[in-house]
Amino acid sequence: MEHDATQELPAMPETVAGGSTSVSDEVVEKIAVAAAKSVPGVAELGGDIARFFNAVLDRVGLDQVGDARRGCSAHVTDGSAVVNLVLVIDAGYPVPQVTGEVRAAVASAIEAYGLRAAEINIKVDDVAMGTPTA
């Protein structure tokens, strides 16, 4: 009995279904926060009120609540992201250097996800003078 030759099928079909992909503002905020925190000289993110509420959450055992997006807001339109960051910088670091490195890190991280960084606005809200004593 003669065996029919088997035919391999391609792993990916030649035609791909249409549709659209969107990335939410919250995803961009998380990406931006992670990138900003990786820059030397960035002590924290968030303004005074956000840091106060985070300290309260830390004391009651909810230390991870709100950390992923704290100090950041983003808006994505047509594949372009506008990011606003509020930073606390470690004492002794030059503000222009830290903010420049934050902009570069955030832009690179956002672009790695296929978006364009249209604007990265940074507000330096405070300077961390050292670690607080308990």
Side-chain angles (χ1 to χ4, degrees), residues 26-39 42 44-46 66-74 83-87 102 105-106 109-110:
E26 292 81 10
V27 169
V28 173
E29 290 165 0
K30 288 180 181 181
I31 293 165
V33 167
K37 285 182 174 180
S38 73
V39 174
V42 174
E44 290 185 71
L45 276 82
D67 278 352
R69 296 178 16 220
R70 183 169 49 110
C72 182
S73 66
V83 177
N84 299 300
L85 294 164
V86 179
L87 303 180
V102 167
V106 170
I110 289 171

Side-chain angles (χ1 to χ4, degrees), residues 54 57 62-71:
N54 197 62
L57 291 171
L62 300 172
D63 55 342
Q64 296 301 315
V65 175
D67 278 352
R69 296 178 16 220
R70 183 169 49 110

Side-chain angles (χ1 to χ4, degrees), residues 85-109:
L85 294 164
V86 179
L87 303 180
V88 177
I89 294 180
D90 286 319
Y93 283 85
V95 171
Q97 177 184 334
V98 173
T99 57
E101 290 177 17
V102 167
R103 275 192 183 87
V106 170
S108 177

